Amino acid sequence: MDKGTVSGIPAWKRGLLVGILGLAAVGAAAGFRGSREEAGGGKVLEADLEETEGSAGKVSEKIREPLEETKKIALTFDDGPHRVYTERLLDGLKERGVKVTFFLLGSNIEGKEEIVKRMSEEGHLIGNHTFYHVDITKLEPEEASAEILDTSRRITDITGQPVEYVRPPFGNWDKELEGDVTMIPIFWTVDTLDWTTGNADQIVQKVVTSVEENDIILMHDSYDSTVQAALRIIDLLQAEGYEFVTADELILE
């Protein structure tokens, strides 16, 4: 057989045949790809990409949006419960959905157990203000402990809850008592001096012009003017974006 032929086919013809078959395969592949594009295959991929990029943009916009933070403050009331004014205050707080902190005198609890129970049931924080409103730093350790423990016992008997916080009268606290009474003292940053005046306007003005975020405001639920002022303070400061919380929420943050 001639070296220029394979199975009787000349080499030059065999080469030409291979070339023609190769071109046909390339053309067929191109035609297949073109038909996919005409059917919208390539456009679907582009649309998917644009949609994905758009979604990512929207997500990133949401992430960049600043979260609105509320300014928290706490109203606290000492010396209660009062037979008339504490209940009036509780009514106003309930209408506004506001929780406050009450520091009770043990000597004022008898005969007002239902008021104390209502404080607890409506979500207010109840703390200890000693039994007879005494300066515990001037007492013997045993007497000072009794002032606090007796008051806590009365509160717990009514509410079924332990008393964890104490406000010492006059702000005078003896750290050596902490081992005996295991309570956390809570003081204040704004003193309304409401006990010195019966003028609700003065009390409101003092608070709304000086209050700042995280302030603990000292009041007394033993006066009609204080109740009026407290509810007006809540209305005014809520309108300015303040949120009223119990005092423990501020000192534990």
Side-chain angles (χ1 to χ4, degrees):
M1 184 181 293
D2 187 15
K3 292 182 180 178
T5 65
V6 177
S7 302
I9 302 174
W12 65 272
K13 286 185 178 181
R14 185 168 54 84
L16 179 60
L17 179 61
V18 170
I20 291 170
L21 291 173
L23 288 172
V26 170
F32 177 71
R33 185 167 57 248
S35 66
R36 284 195 62 189
E37 289 176 354
E38 288 174 4
K43 292 179 181 177
V44 170
L45 290 174
E46 275 188 28
D48 287 348
L49 181 59
E50 288 173 3
E51 185 178 345
T52 302
E53 289 175 346
S55 299
K58 290 175 184 176
V59 171
S60 63
E61 283 177 12
K62 288 181 181 178
I63 293 174
R64 285 196 299 268
E65 278 183 15
L67 296 175
E68 186 177 344
E69 294 185 2
T70 57
K71 300 173 287 186
K72 295 180 179 180
I73 52 176
L75 280 177
T76 65
F77 297 88
D78 291 5
D79 295 358
H82 188 278
R83 190 177 303 277
V84 176
Y85 302 129
T86 301
E87 287 203 280
R88 192 174 298 171
L89 175 61
L90 287 169
D91 290 341
L93 295 173
K94 186 175 182 179
E95 289 175 8
R96 291 161 175 78
V98 167
K99 305 295 186 288
V100 302
T101 304
F102 292 97
F103 291 100
L104 307 185
L105 289 175
S107 58
N108 277 344
I109 291 176
E110 187 173 356
K112 309 180 193 74
E113 289 85 357
E114 287 303 313
I115 298 176
V116 177
K117 186 177 180 181
R118 180 183 173 187
M119 290 176 181
S120 177
E121 290 176 345
E122 294 183 0
H124 302 289
L125 179 65
I126 300 177
N128 189 316
H129 199 42
T130 73
F131 203 88
Y132 290 113
H133 200 280
V134 294
D135 184 343
I136 56 177
T137 63
K138 295 181 179 179
L139 301 178
E140 293 297 322
E142 295 79 8
E143 293 177 297
S145 293
E147 279 280 331
I148 296 169
L149 295 175
D150 288 351
T151 301
S152 289
R153 195 156 29 244
R154 291 205 174 195
I155 295 171
T156 300
D157 286 345
I158 298 168
T159 66
Q161 301 295 324
V163 182
E164 300 177 330
Y165 302 94
V166 59
R167 171 168 284 165
F170 316 107
N172 296 335
W173 178 243
D174 186 350
K175 290 185 69 68
E176 293 182 5
L177 288 173
E178 292 179 8
D180 295 328
V181 302
T182 61
M183 298 176 73
I184 300 172
I186 294 181
F187 301 98
W188 59 87
T189 56
V190 176
D191 187 352
T192 62
L193 297 174
D194 56 337
W195 57 276
T196 66
T197 177
N199 190 319
D201 291 337
Q202 289 181 8
I203 300 169
V204 172
Q205 181 71 9
K206 181 177 179 62
V207 173
V208 298
T209 58
S210 62
V211 73
E212 296 179 353
E213 184 177 3
N214 296 323
D215 270 339
I216 297 177
I217 303 165
L218 170 61
M219 307 183 85
H220 301 79
D221 52 321
S222 308
Y223 310 97
D224 181 53
S225 55
T226 294
V227 174
Q228 293 180 40
L231 299 179
R232 286 170 56 190
I233 288 166
I234 291 170
D235 293 340
L236 290 168
L237 293 184
Q238 280 184 331
E240 293 184 17
Y242 283 93
E243 177 187 358
F244 288 87
V245 299
T246 52
D248 58 323
E249 189 169 331
L250 297 183
I251 67 170
L252 295 178
E253 282 188 344

